[in-house]
Amino acid sequence: MPHPCLSCGACCAHFRVSLHWSEAEPALGGTVPRALTVPLRSHELAMRGTAGGDVLRCVALEADIGHHSRCSIHPLRPQACRDVAASWEFGEVSDQCDRARIAHGLAPLTGDDWSWREFAA
């Protein structure tokens, strides 16, 4: 059974993804592709598609929310994305995960969504 995030994508289509400009500056070790960002505030950028408007959806998201999901820059994604855990992935609720899933009509994850790990081990 795959990781629940691979059939979700709700967080990437619900929240603004803001980041310090240095995360998109290769000379400073930044990995986020600058072309996928827009200016937000003096020291912040946002991932394109998440800065505002009627529909929030990260430009790096390739998904049919609730069915399949893939971040096209996963190894290069901003720290803000790395910091959002899926509910119960590490044994506790993630408010951000739950709110995004509910906003897209998906049930929050439970501990049972991680039972496949026992069989994989």
Side-chain angles (χ1 to χ4, degrees):
M1 179 174 239
H3 192 286
C5 293
L6 296 175
S7 62
C8 185
C11 61
C12 306
H14 185 69
F15 296 110
R16 179 182 70 217
V17 179
S18 56
L19 55 140
H20 190 268
W21 63 268
S22 62
E23 287 192 73
E25 181 54 54
L28 297 175
T31 59
V32 177
R34 171 77 82 173
L36 300 184
T37 68
V38 294
L40 184 60
R41 290 186 278 267
S42 63
H43 289 42
E44 285 182 288
L45 302 172
M47 290 300 294
R48 287 188 182 278
T50 72
D54 294 335
V55 177
L56 293 179
R57 186 181 178 104
C58 182
V59 68
L61 177 64
E62 296 174 1
D64 177 7
I65 306 300
H67 299 284
H68 64 86
S69 175
R70 175 184 174 275
C71 174
S72 65
I73 63 162
H74 193 267
L76 309 174
R77 70 195 185 283
Q79 188 62 47
C81 299
R82 295 172 192 277
D83 290 343
V84 176
S87 270
W88 298 106
E89 181 173 15
F90 302 109
E92 59 188 38
V93 170
S94 167
D95 182 57
Q96 286 180 300
C97 175
D98 288 351
R99 285 187 293 138
R101 288 181 62 86
I102 289 167
H104 285 275
L106 303 171
L109 295 174
T110 69
D112 290 340
D113 292 302
W114 301 96
S115 61
W116 59 271
R117 286 183 166 175
E118 296 170 16
F119 298 110

